Amino acid sequence: QQPVQSPQAVILREGEDAVINCSSSKALYSVHWYRQKHGEAPVFLMILLKGGEQKGHEKISASFNEKKQQSSLYLTASQLSYSGTYFCGTRSGNKLVFGAGTILRVKS
Amino acid sequence: DAGVIQSPRHEVTEMGQEVTLRCKPISGHDYLFWYRQTMMRGLELLIYFNNNVPIDDSGMPEDRFSAKMPNASFSTLKIQPSEPRDSAVYFCASSFGAAWGYTFGSGTRLTVV
């Protein structure tokens, strides 16, 4: 089952904060986060593991709530370079199923 | 490391023609994934390999699609015959172990006319 991301899109001004949510109808053991800029490949940001361990990107944080089967990505003091589409991925066996993506646009 | 390398970057072909997409994963990575991305369907997993062995091809749309990984440094995705609905960006990704982050290639933008 594909995870559900919200919101579908968000527009920010530089310096503002944003939260992107990812939820699943199935039990979560790990959640991946990726960012894709227009015309480019998705780039790995971080992975959240069951038990709360966090790995990956230092400037963007994330949380993982196993009970709610949900992960949230926090972008604080956004920069122009944060613009792109953010995908969460949840594991189904040994494969990753991606959400539909959240389009983030940061304006100056 | 040069990352995951895909070729060609762009491919335009006529309906009915055979198309072959190529991927070189990162050395040492034991998992290789083929994804297709479209506006309507997002990122879809087509097939993945572990140590050169196909593990799950349930995402391959139909028999027109086939994928091989003859060795640890090379994989192909073939479409024969191609159809306009196959138009999409095809990404190859590799990882060290199934649980860690994926590195994606730059993708192949396929247009079937």
Side-chain angles (χ1 to χ4, degrees), chain B:
Chain B
D1 198 322
V4 176
I5 299 173
Q6 289 188 247
S7 65
R9 287 296 307 273
H10 302 274
E11 177 81 37
V12 180
T13 190
E14 291 186 345
M15 183 173 62
Q17 296 298 306
E18 177 180 295
V19 176
T20 299
L21 311 181
R22 298 172 177 80
C23 175
K24 176 180 168 56
I26 291 175
S27 177
H29 281 190
D30 55 347
Y31 279 82
L32 184 139
F33 306 85
W34 282 100
Y35 281 87
R36 177 172 67 176
Q37 186 175 39
T38 60
M39 288 295 293
M40 291 297 295
R41 300 175 70 90
L43 274 165
E44 300 176 275
L45 178 66
L46 300 176
I47 185 172
Y48 78 93
F49 296 82
N50 176 218
N51 292 322
N52 315 337
V53 177
I55 303 299
D56 186 340
D57 65 355
S58 60
M60 297 285 259
E62 45 199 277
D63 292 345
R64 297 185 296 108
F65 286 69
S66 62
K68 294 181 180 179
M69 192 166 185
N71 56 62
S73 58
F74 185 64
S75 178
T76 59
L77 179 68
K78 186 177 293 186
I79 308 172
Q80 165 64 19
S82 58
E83 297 182 2
R85 59 188 167 133
D86 301 331
S87 297
V89 180
Y90 291 81
F91 287 106
C92 171
S94 70
S95 69
F96 179 67
W100 304 119
Y102 294 3
T103 301
F104 282 80
S106 299
T108 295
R109 181 173 294 276
L110 174 66
T111 304
V112 184
V113 297

Side-chain angles (χ1 to χ4, degrees), chain A residues 14-75:
Chain A
E14 274 187 294
E16 292 182 338
D17 301 340
V19 180
I20 299 172
N21 298 305
C22 174
S23 62
S24 174
S25 59
K26 299 174 65 175
L28 289 178
Y29 297 95
S30 67
V31 178
H32 290 218
W33 286 98
Y34 292 77
R35 177 172 63 208
Q36 183 178 29
K37 293 185 178 288
H38 183 68
E40 299 181 6
V43 174
F44 173 71
L45 294 177
M46 67 179 67
I47 183 170
L48 282 299
L49 303 175
K50 188 176 181 179
E53 187 177 2
Q54 177 175 330
K55 295 181 185 293
H57 207 285
E58 293 182 354
K59 295 185 177 181
I60 298 173
S61 63
S63 65
F64 183 19
N65 188 321
E66 297 158 37
K67 286 187 178 179
K68 291 186 177 180
Q69 297 171 188
Q70 179 177 318
S71 177
S72 296
L73 186 71
Y74 304 95
L75 301 102

